[in-house]
Amino acid sequence: MFSASQSSKAQFLDKARQAREERRELKERERAAVLIQALVRRFLCRCHLQREIRREVEDFFGANESGSSKRSALSIFRMARNLLFVFNHKEDKERFEKLCRCILTSMDVENEPKVWYVSLALSKDLTLLWIKQIKDILWFCCEFLKQLKPDILQDSRLVNLHLTMLVTFTDTSTWKILRGKGETLRPAMNHICANIMGHLNQKGFYSVLQILLTNGLARSRPSLSKGSLTAVFSLALRPVVAAQFSDNLLRSFLIHIMSVPAIMTHLATLTPERLAVIESHELFRKFVLFLSREAQCRDVCVCLEGSHTLCLLGNLVYLGSLNDKVLEEETAHFVGVLIHMLSYCQKYVSQKKSNLTHWHPVLGWFSQTVDYGLNESMPLLTKQLQHLWGVHMIRILFSDVLSKKLLENQEIAQLPAQPVSPQNSLPMKNLFKRAFQKSASVRNILKPVGGKRVDSAEVQKVCSICVLYQTTLTTLTQIRLQILTGLTYLDDLLPKLWAFICELGPQGGLKLFLECLNNDTEESKRLLAMLMLFCDCSRHLITILDDIEVYEEQISFKLEELVTISSFLNSFVFKMIWDGIVENARGETLELFHSVHGWLMVLYERDCRRRFAPEDHWLRKDLKPSVLFQELDKDKKRAQLLLQYIPHVIPHKNRVLLFRNMVTKEKEKLGLVETSSASPHVTHITIRRSRMLEDGYEQLRQLSQNAMKGVIRVKFVNDLGVDEAGIDQDGVFKEFLEEIIKKVFDPALNLFKTTSGDERLYPSPTSYIHENYLQLFEFVGKMLGKAVYEGIVVDVPFASFFLSQLLGHHHSVFYSSVDELPSLDSEFYKNLTSIKRYDGDISDLGLTLSYDEDVMGQLVCHELIPGGKTIPVTNENKISYIHLMAHFRMHTQIKSQTAALIGGFRSIIKPEWIRMFSAPELQRLISGDNAEIDLEDLKKHTVYYGGFHGSHRVIIWLWDILANDFSPEERAMFLKFVTSCSRPPLLGFAYLKPPFSIRCVEVSDDQDTGDTLGSVLRGFFTIRKKEPGGRLPTSSTCFNLLKLPNYSKKSILREKLRYAISMNTGFELS
């Protein structure tokens, strides 16, 4: 019973709770319904009101357009107030345009003050409301300007409309209400305009103008009209002028207006009168002085970031080029500002692509965000920047340097031009006579003289300018060559800069700069920047000048100056390496080293190709080779760096000795040298004389790299397979190698061709007719490498350009194909350089960027660039044409053949071994010394057989004939007759393998069975079986062996020997 009453109570309570919740939900629904109804009614009411207002506005403007009557300013004000009350950007765009037109129309009416919209500003009741309204209207104009695209015709009309509104109501000059008696109101009206402009500035007026200018100008062709651009620039200038060029407004103007790409160029083109306004206000001077404060400049750069900082820089440079007077007066500030801005950009210039970098057309890889919308305007920006290294600005900035007088030697100037023979055959006596003629009136810059204080204002100014250009070179990486070309355009700038450098410090030149390396001061860095700029520019100049311009016309530098400069550079680089500076160099010091070293090597390679410096000019007499070799054995870093960067300071013979030591060390490491405990592995090959090249190629190309470097024994067989009699020593391999080389380098085989003129060898462009021609070239490279590896000299004269490729010089950024072209075809080189000097219109010659060649009876057209046969050669691209043509003839045509041969050669000879030689020195390494034969050295290292000895009368006669009766040419023929090479070994005859030998013979070669006891005794005691007067001397070149009959008279020996060497000169490739 009790439980039942409890249950009913619980049920009752649940029902009561449910009822309460239902009543509460009902009230909530009723309240929500009322709220929704209110919102809907309010929305509908608002929509109705907006429709009513918009209809009223439409009716107002419709009546206005019909021209039934002129609307009063008050009616326009009320209608504008209504429109602004319901204004929506999308819906009311056209109505707003009509309002603007209506307001502007009211301002144009003559003599009706009540119609002028601006008249409301004079009403006591409406002044504040009118100011509020015009501020809102003008800001809506700004909002629309941000969205409009000036390149669209409809948008461009709206741009003009909104700009007209802004121009009209931010300045009182067009207000008709102020004419006549109204002039007294002008101060008050000006105050209202200033108030309006201040409001717009606070809202972001300059940002609006920047967006509009960028949309209209940041393209290849501007889409803003002259009127629009004039209006925008006038609007931008008004606040600055009104505020009397306050720092805040100058900052805004620089950040938002002057950073628009090439805006100054567009002003000069479209509306030059605006530039006159800039000049009248001396804005350029004010900009420079404002930015010359480091904090202000940094603030502007940080706000703009890299891309836009560069645009500001371009505009400032362009303004500077138009304001000579200000530029001359504010040079220090101008240079300082540019350095600061370039340095800011340089912080973000990266050497390589990464996930954090972006590509910029002028800066290269850049680690800040790049505005790709500016890319179209980059050519215009580059043109602006070009003024910085243009002749006009260089003359102003470097006025202190260029004002120097360089005295000329009048006698030298009147000397007739010397005839120049190709390559290294310039008459050295005449050249050095010209270079070192003593005279008081010779240019006063031949030697560093010193005497100018480095802390003087003049030196500091020049240093700053050099820092500017050096920073420009390292920042604007993609137009670096343009900058260098501009800086080298004036022929007298670099010589005068060198004269300036020579005058610095108490003793001049070298000592001062070496001291700067050890001082980490700002002054030292600026002095080193001057040296670095001089080196970079001079290197670029000498690289682009051809031999005629360097040696005959002597553009910019006289030859004697190049001698002095190269001596300075050689000493400077040597000291940097030897004093341990390069080992630990980082950043600017390392850049300086590469700059100075690059200029030094360009001069050295030019001198190697054609001499201008005296003998032993490049050697360092204070460097003992023995000390260097000891340090190399100990792996001292400075010795390794010296060998890597300036091996030419070491005498050539010492470098050859070093090369031979390197080879010997490798042989020992590979176990290729005979020792008491082990013998090297020997590779045996069998060769048929009639198929020597084919058999050698088949058997040797399969060998491993180490086997090719090892001992190779050759067994010759005849066509029947019968062994030839031979002595089992290295001589047979030497004969095989010489015969192989004789065959492969024979131009008749068409693997190689000879150059016109001096007939030197290079790969034949048509060698592809051979089957497996690339494998053949690789084989030739291995054979040539093997000859050099074993110290076997072979008489193979290579073209200089091909030797440069063998050394890898063609990969250098300073390499010029045009400079090497004379070594291929001197006539072709003359024709190309005549194009360079052609004064008329080169397109009249009908040339295209292609090369027509007769290939085996067929005319083949090679395009130098894709589509080249349809691209005419013009005055603008003729330099490119010359370089493309030279590159094609010496590289492109024989690229695969050269690569194959170099690959084979380097499989035997490591590239770093021969990097210490120049092209002529490499030729000497391959073919022996081109010096005269040292008979005393030959006599000292000659081995005698068959009874001959040093005191034998035939031997005495032989040496006497060679010394006194034979000419140097005949002595070379004699050496070639015995050894197959007309040149002596580089290190002397002690290094000739096998050694030079002379053997007494009694019978002809086919009857000769070698020395016997009887033949040796007869030879020793000069006992003859019969008179050998009828027989000629013979030789075995594979053993470097002269077989000499025991002649009875000296005259017979002389006659027979002369006849033998003239009839049996071995293989002559020329």
Side-chain angles (χ1 to χ4, degrees), residues 734 791 793 938 941 975 979 983-985 988-997 1040:
K734 179 175 181 282
V793 288
L938 177 59
H941 296 100
L975 189 62
T979 67
R983 296 177 177 183
F989 288 99
Y991 286 83
L992 184 66
K993 297 289 175 64
F996 192 91
S997 310
N1040 299 326

PDB file of all heavy atoms in Angstrom, residues 734 791 793 938 941 975 979 983-985 988-997 1040:
ATOM      1  N   LYS A 734     108.270   0.792 -76.961  1.00  0.00           N
ATOM      2  CA  LYS A 734     108.443   2.172 -77.436  1.00  0.00           C
ATOM      3  C   LYS A 734     108.241   2.241 -78.939  1.00  0.00           C
ATOM      4  O   LYS A 734     107.564   3.141 -79.457  1.00  0.00           O
ATOM      5  CB  LYS A 734     109.846   2.668 -77.058  1.00  0.00           C
ATOM      6  CG  LYS A 734     110.152   4.084 -77.528  1.00  0.00           C
ATOM      7  CD  LYS A 734     111.494   4.549 -77.014  1.00  0.00           C
ATOM      8  CE  LYS A 734     111.808   5.974 -77.465  1.00  0.00           C
ATOM      9  NZ  LYS A 734     112.246   6.032 -78.854  1.00  0.00           N
ATOM     10  N   GLY A 791     107.201   8.761 -69.939  1.00  0.00           N
ATOM     11  CA  GLY A 791     108.273   9.695 -70.281  1.00  0.00           C
ATOM     12  C   GLY A 791     108.803   9.508 -71.678  1.00  0.00           C
ATOM     13  O   GLY A 791     109.941   9.902 -71.973  1.00  0.00           O
ATOM     14  N   VAL A 793     108.925  10.705 -75.287  1.00  0.00           N
ATOM     15  CA  VAL A 793     108.556  11.916 -76.032  1.00  0.00           C
ATOM     16  C   VAL A 793     108.158  11.524 -77.450  1.00  0.00           C
ATOM     17  O   VAL A 793     108.816  10.706 -78.098  1.00  0.00           O
ATOM     18  CB  VAL A 793     109.693  12.949 -76.051  1.00  0.00           C
ATOM     19  CG1 VAL A 793     109.868  13.582 -74.698  1.00  0.00           C
ATOM     20  CG2 VAL A 793     110.998  12.352 -76.524  1.00  0.00           C
ATOM     21  N   LEU A 938     124.129  15.220 -73.759  1.00  0.00           N
ATOM     22  CA  LEU A 938     123.923  13.997 -74.553  1.00  0.00           C
ATOM     23  C   LEU A 938     125.160  13.099 -74.481  1.00  0.00           C
ATOM     24  O   LEU A 938     125.059  11.880 -74.271  1.00  0.00           O
ATOM     25  CB  LEU A 938     123.608  14.373 -76.004  1.00  0.00           C
ATOM     26  CG  LEU A 938     123.421  13.225 -76.996  1.00  0.00           C
ATOM     27  CD1 LEU A 938     122.288  12.296 -76.553  1.00  0.00           C
ATOM     28  CD2 LEU A 938     123.128  13.747 -78.398  1.00  0.00           C
ATOM     29  N   HIS A 941     125.518  11.201 -71.214  1.00  0.00           N
ATOM     30  CA  HIS A 941     124.572  10.122 -70.923  1.00  0.00           C
ATOM     31  C   HIS A 941     124.437   9.143 -72.091  1.00  0.00           C
ATOM     32  O   HIS A 941     123.413   8.503 -72.252  1.00  0.00           O
ATOM     33  CB  HIS A 941     123.197  10.714 -70.568  1.00  0.00           C
ATOM     34  CG  HIS A 941     123.217  11.522 -69.319  1.00  0.00           C
ATOM     35  ND1 HIS A 941     123.276  12.901 -69.322  1.00  0.00           N
ATOM     36  CD2 HIS A 941     123.225  11.146 -68.000  1.00  0.00           C
ATOM     37  CE1 HIS A 941     123.289  13.343 -68.082  1.00  0.00           C
ATOM     38  NE2 HIS A 941     123.271  12.301 -67.252  1.00  0.00           N
ATOM     39  N   LEU A 975     118.851  13.854 -83.920  1.00  0.00           N
ATOM     40  CA  LEU A 975     118.171  13.313 -82.738  1.00  0.00           C
ATOM     41  C   LEU A 975     116.899  12.568 -83.151  1.00  0.00           C
ATOM     42  O   LEU A 975     116.594  11.494 -82.616  1.00  0.00           O
ATOM     43  CB  LEU A 975     117.833  14.450 -81.756  1.00  0.00           C
ATOM     44  CG  LEU A 975     117.319  14.017 -80.384  1.00  0.00           C
ATOM     45  CD1 LEU A 975     118.385  13.197 -79.647  1.00  0.00           C
ATOM     46  CD2 LEU A 975     116.929  15.240 -79.550  1.00  0.00           C
ATOM     47  N   THR A 979     116.098   8.777 -82.174  1.00  0.00           N
ATOM     48  CA  THR A 979     115.098   8.569 -81.111  1.00  0.00           C
ATOM     49  C   THR A 979     113.658   8.702 -81.597  1.00  0.00           C
ATOM     50  O   THR A 979     112.720   8.492 -80.814  1.00  0.00           O
ATOM     51  CB  THR A 979     115.305   9.587 -79.968  1.00  0.00           C
ATOM     52  OG1 THR A 979     114.997  10.890 -80.453  1.00  0.00           O
ATOM     53  CG2 THR A 979     116.728   9.543 -79.445  1.00  0.00           C
ATOM     54  N   ARG A 983     113.174  16.610 -80.457  1.00  0.00           N
ATOM     55  CA  ARG A 983     113.381  17.436 -79.264  1.00  0.00           C
ATOM     56  C   ARG A 983     113.974  16.610 -78.129  1.00  0.00           C
ATOM     57  O   ARG A 983     113.614  15.453 -77.948  1.00  0.00           O
ATOM     58  CB  ARG A 983     112.061  18.037 -78.811  1.00  0.00           C
ATOM     59  CG  ARG A 983     111.463  18.992 -79.820  1.00  0.00           C
ATOM     60  CD  ARG A 983     110.131  19.491 -79.341  1.00  0.00           C
ATOM     61  NE  ARG A 983     109.549  20.453 -80.248  1.00  0.00           N
ATOM     62  CZ  ARG A 983     108.415  21.083 -80.036  1.00  0.00           C
ATOM     63  NH1 ARG A 983     107.731  20.816 -78.929  1.00  0.00           N
ATOM     64  NH2 ARG A 983     107.943  21.946 -80.894  1.00  0.00           N
ATOM     65  N   PRO A 984     114.851  17.232 -77.340  1.00  0.00           N
ATOM     66  CA  PRO A 984     115.432  16.492 -76.201  1.00  0.00           C
ATOM     67  C   PRO A 984     114.410  16.360 -75.083  1.00  0.00           C
ATOM     68  O   PRO A 984     113.467  17.144 -74.994  1.00  0.00           O
ATOM     69  CB  PRO A 984     116.598  17.395 -75.771  1.00  0.00           C
ATOM     70  CG  PRO A 984     116.214  18.761 -76.210  1.00  0.00           C
ATOM     71  CD  PRO A 984     115.413  18.597 -77.465  1.00  0.00           C
ATOM     72  N   PRO A 985     114.597  15.363 -74.198  1.00  0.00           N
ATOM     73  CA  PRO A 985     113.691  15.245 -73.034  1.00  0.00           C
ATOM     74  C   PRO A 985     113.751  16.506 -72.178  1.00  0.00           C
ATOM     75  O   PRO A 985     114.790  17.171 -72.101  1.00  0.00           O
ATOM     76  CB  PRO A 985     114.227  14.033 -72.278  1.00  0.00           C
ATOM     77  CG  PRO A 985     115.070  13.299 -73.269  1.00  0.00           C
ATOM     78  CD  PRO A 985     115.621  14.326 -74.211  1.00  0.00           C
ATOM     79  N   GLY A 988     116.478  16.610 -69.576  1.00  0.00           N
ATOM     80  CA  GLY A 988     117.793  16.246 -70.065  1.00  0.00           C
ATOM     81  C   GLY A 988     117.870  14.779 -70.456  1.00  0.00           C
ATOM     82  O   GLY A 988     116.936  13.993 -70.225  1.00  0.00           O
ATOM     83  N   PHE A 989     118.987  14.405 -71.045  1.00  0.00           N
ATOM     84  CA  PHE A 989     119.124  13.056 -71.600  1.00  0.00           C
ATOM     85  C   PHE A 989     119.280  11.985 -70.517  1.00  0.00           C
ATOM     86  O   PHE A 989     119.202  10.793 -70.821  1.00  0.00           O
ATOM     87  CB  PHE A 989     120.306  13.023 -72.578  1.00  0.00           C
ATOM     88  CG  PHE A 989     119.998  13.750 -73.854  1.00  0.00           C
ATOM     89  CD1 PHE A 989     120.433  15.051 -74.057  1.00  0.00           C
ATOM     90  CD2 PHE A 989     119.238  13.148 -74.839  1.00  0.00           C
ATOM     91  CE1 PHE A 989     120.128  15.730 -75.223  1.00  0.00           C
ATOM     92  CE2 PHE A 989     118.930  13.814 -76.009  1.00  0.00           C
ATOM     93  CZ  PHE A 989     119.373  15.117 -76.211  1.00  0.00           C
ATOM     94  N   ALA A 990     119.466  12.389 -69.284  1.00  0.00           N
ATOM     95  CA  ALA A 990     119.501  11.403 -68.198  1.00  0.00           C
ATOM     96  C   ALA A 990     118.148  10.702 -68.079  1.00  0.00           C
ATOM     97  O   ALA A 990     118.058   9.580 -67.573  1.00  0.00           O
ATOM     98  CB  ALA A 990     119.860  12.088 -66.882  1.00  0.00           C
ATOM     99  N   TYR A 991     117.058  11.376 -68.544  1.00  0.00           N
ATOM    100  CA  TYR A 991     115.711  10.833 -68.425  1.00  0.00           C
ATOM    101  C   TYR A 991     115.228  10.185 -69.719  1.00  0.00           C
ATOM    102  O   TYR A 991     114.073   9.821 -69.827  1.00  0.00           O
ATOM    103  CB  TYR A 991     114.735  11.948 -68.015  1.00  0.00           C
ATOM    104  CG  TYR A 991     114.881  12.331 -66.565  1.00  0.00           C
ATOM    105  CD1 TYR A 991     115.863  13.237 -66.163  1.00  0.00           C
ATOM    106  CD2 TYR A 991     114.059  11.771 -65.597  1.00  0.00           C
ATOM    107  CE1 TYR A 991     116.018  13.577 -64.836  1.00  0.00           C
ATOM    108  CE2 TYR A 991     114.201  12.106 -64.261  1.00  0.00           C
ATOM    109  CZ  TYR A 991     115.183  13.009 -63.882  1.00  0.00           C
ATOM    110  OH  TYR A 991     115.323  13.337 -62.555  1.00  0.00           O
ATOM    111  N   LEU A 992     116.131  10.030 -70.712  1.00  0.00           N
ATOM    112  CA  LEU A 992     115.741   9.360 -71.952  1.00  0.00           C
ATOM    113  C   LEU A 992     115.725   7.853 -71.724  1.00  0.00           C
ATOM    114  O   LEU A 992     116.700   7.282 -71.240  1.00  0.00           O
ATOM    115  CB  LEU A 992     116.739   9.715 -73.070  1.00  0.00           C
ATOM    116  CG  LEU A 992     116.411   9.169 -74.453  1.00  0.00           C
ATOM    117  CD1 LEU A 992     115.131   9.798 -74.993  1.00  0.00           C
ATOM    118  CD2 LEU A 992     117.570   9.438 -75.430  1.00  0.00           C
ATOM    119  N   LYS A 993     114.567   7.236 -71.999  1.00  0.00           N
ATOM    120  CA  LYS A 993     114.425   5.790 -71.793  1.00  0.00           C
ATOM    121  C   LYS A 993     114.041   5.116 -73.115  1.00  0.00           C
ATOM    122  O   LYS A 993     113.049   5.530 -73.716  1.00  0.00           O
ATOM    123  CB  LYS A 993     113.337   5.513 -70.751  1.00  0.00           C
ATOM    124  CG  LYS A 993     113.647   6.060 -69.372  1.00  0.00           C
ATOM    125  CD  LYS A 993     114.771   5.281 -68.698  1.00  0.00           C
ATOM    126  CE  LYS A 993     115.164   5.917 -67.364  1.00  0.00           C
ATOM    127  NZ  LYS A 993     114.129   5.898 -66.361  1.00  0.00           N
ATOM    128  N   PRO A 994     114.773   4.065 -73.582  1.00  0.00           N
ATOM    129  CA  PRO A 994     116.091   3.592 -73.112  1.00  0.00           C
ATOM    130  C   PRO A 994     117.158   4.668 -73.353  1.00  0.00           C
ATOM    131  O   PRO A 994     116.937   5.571 -74.144  1.00  0.00           O
ATOM    132  CB  PRO A 994     116.355   2.355 -73.980  1.00  0.00           C
ATOM    133  CG  PRO A 994     115.018   1.979 -74.549  1.00  0.00           C
ATOM    134  CD  PRO A 994     114.261   3.249 -74.686  1.00  0.00           C
ATOM    135  N   PRO A 995     118.314   4.574 -72.694  1.00  0.00           N
ATOM    136  CA  PRO A 995     119.343   5.614 -72.841  1.00  0.00           C
ATOM    137  C   PRO A 995     119.885   5.682 -74.269  1.00  0.00           C
ATOM    138  O   PRO A 995     119.867   4.686 -75.010  1.00  0.00           O
ATOM    139  CB  PRO A 995     120.427   5.189 -71.847  1.00  0.00           C
ATOM    140  CG  PRO A 995     120.185   3.755 -71.581  1.00  0.00           C
ATOM    141  CD  PRO A 995     118.728   3.535 -71.736  1.00  0.00           C
ATOM    142  N   PHE A 996     120.356   6.864 -74.647  1.00  0.00           N
ATOM    143  CA  PHE A 996     120.939   7.076 -75.971  1.00  0.00           C
ATOM    144  C   PHE A 996     122.176   6.174 -76.121  1.00  0.00           C
ATOM    145  O   PHE A 996     123.063   6.174 -75.262  1.00  0.00           O
ATOM    146  CB  PHE A 996     121.326   8.548 -76.130  1.00  0.00           C
ATOM    147  CG  PHE A 996     121.668   8.947 -77.533  1.00  0.00           C
ATOM    148  CD1 PHE A 996     120.695   9.426 -78.388  1.00  0.00           C
ATOM    149  CD2 PHE A 996     122.971   8.845 -78.000  1.00  0.00           C
ATOM    150  CE1 PHE A 996     121.012   9.802 -79.678  1.00  0.00           C
ATOM    151  CE2 PHE A 996     123.297   9.214 -79.291  1.00  0.00           C
ATOM    152  CZ  PHE A 996     122.310   9.695 -80.143  1.00  0.00           C
ATOM    153  N   SER A 997     122.204   5.404 -77.217  1.00  0.00           N
ATOM    154  CA  SER A 997     123.285   4.411 -77.389  1.00  0.00           C
ATOM    155  C   SER A 997     123.880   4.526 -78.785  1.00  0.00           C
ATOM    156  O   SER A 997     123.187   4.877 -79.752  1.00  0.00           O
ATOM    157  CB  SER A 997     122.743   2.991 -77.197  1.00  0.00           C
ATOM    158  OG  SER A 997     121.993   2.908 -76.004  1.00  0.00           O
ATOM    159  N   ASN A1040     116.553   3.804 -79.089  1.00  0.00           N
ATOM    160  CA  ASN A1040     117.345   5.036 -79.130  1.00  0.00           C
ATOM    161  C   ASN A1040     118.807   4.705 -79.461  1.00  0.00           C
ATOM    162  O   ASN A1040     119.751   5.217 -78.839  1.00  0.00           O
ATOM    163  CB  ASN A1040     117.267   5.798 -77.798  1.00  0.00           C
ATOM    164  CG  ASN A1040     115.848   6.211 -77.467  1.00  0.00           C
ATOM    165  OD1 ASN A1040     115.070   6.524 -78.376  1.00  0.00           O
ATOM    166  ND2 ASN A1040     115.485   6.192 -76.187  1.00  0.00           N
TER     167      ASN A1040
END
